Amino acid sequence: MKNTVFTVLAAGAFATIAFDAFGQGLSPLFGYAKLAPVGLANQTIKTVFGASPSGLAHLLHVFTGMVAYTLGYLLVARPLQKRIMPSLPWVATATAYGVVLWVFALYVMAHLVAGNKPFLGFTGITWVALWGHIVFALVAAWVMEARGIVKAPATLQPAQA
């Protein structure tokens, strides 16, 4: 259990660093849009609660990356894939999971919760966010897969007579 908690937090930390480095550093460096995940978190908090205390949006961004999104891969995406398509490589699962995270962030949170245009109007930030979420998922999955905490689901055995 201790190994799993450490691995999830490490996977989330490395993935969040990769996401931020890509979306806030590399992307604008190469002339593309700059991601603002803390800004979106702040807007979401203000919409839901009416105010956003200083620093809360940063904590939400870190918690989402280090814990929530990482657990989503470990507890939902990979086990579901192993039950439905057991021979599919984890890289494919992680890529698909990154797309799901992108839809969640830019449609559910940014649009349905925070009130922005769906997928932020399909501007440059939309596509940087897509790649950023895929990078996040690949890094998180790689750490968890390399550390061996993703287990195959138990198979159903026929009842013994």
Side-chain angles (χ1 to χ4, degrees), residues 40 43-44 106-107 109-121:
L40 177 58
Q43 183 183 12
T44 301
L106 269 64
Y107 186 77
M109 297 310 294
H111 173 59
L112 297 179
V113 175
N116 296 302
K117 291 180 181 179
F119 295 94
L120 301 176

Side-chain angles (χ1 to χ4, degrees), residues 94-104 130 133-134 137:
T95 301
Y97 183 61
V99 174
V100 169
L101 293 178
W102 173 71
V103 170
F104 176 76
L130 171 60
H133 284 91
I134 291 171

Side-chain angles (χ1 to χ4, degrees), residues 81-108:
Q81 172 265 308
K82 284 186 173 204
R83 287 210 184 271
I84 297 170
M85 299 173 68
S87 63
L88 191 70
W90 69 263
V91 172
T93 305
T95 301
Y97 183 61
V99 174
V100 169
L101 293 178
W102 173 71
V103 170
F104 176 76
L106 269 64
Y107 186 77
V108 175

Side-chain angles (χ1 to χ4, degrees), residues 35-107:
L35 294 183
V38 173
L40 177 58
N42 191 50
Q43 183 183 12
T44 301
I45 293 166
K46 281 183 179 177
T47 301
V48 172
F49 298 108
S52 179
S54 180
L56 187 58
H58 284 278
L59 290 175
L60 178 59
H61 172 59
V62 170
F63 173 80
T64 300
M66 282 188 67
V67 180
Y69 281 4
T70 310
L71 284 175
Y73 178 82
L74 177 67
L75 301 175
V76 179
R78 191 69 160 125
L80 186 63
Q81 172 265 308
K82 284 186 173 204
R83 287 210 184 271
I84 297 170
M85 299 173 68
S87 63
L88 191 70
W90 69 263
V91 172
T93 305
T95 301
Y97 183 61
V99 174
V100 169
L101 293 178
W102 173 71
V103 170
F104 176 76
L106 269 64
Y107 186 77

Side-chain angles (χ1 to χ4, degrees), residues 18-35 128:
F19 176 85
D20 285 344
F22 172 78
Q24 297 177 49
L26 293 174
S27 179
L29 183 65
F30 292 115
Y32 297 101
K34 179 181 179 182
L35 294 183
V128 173

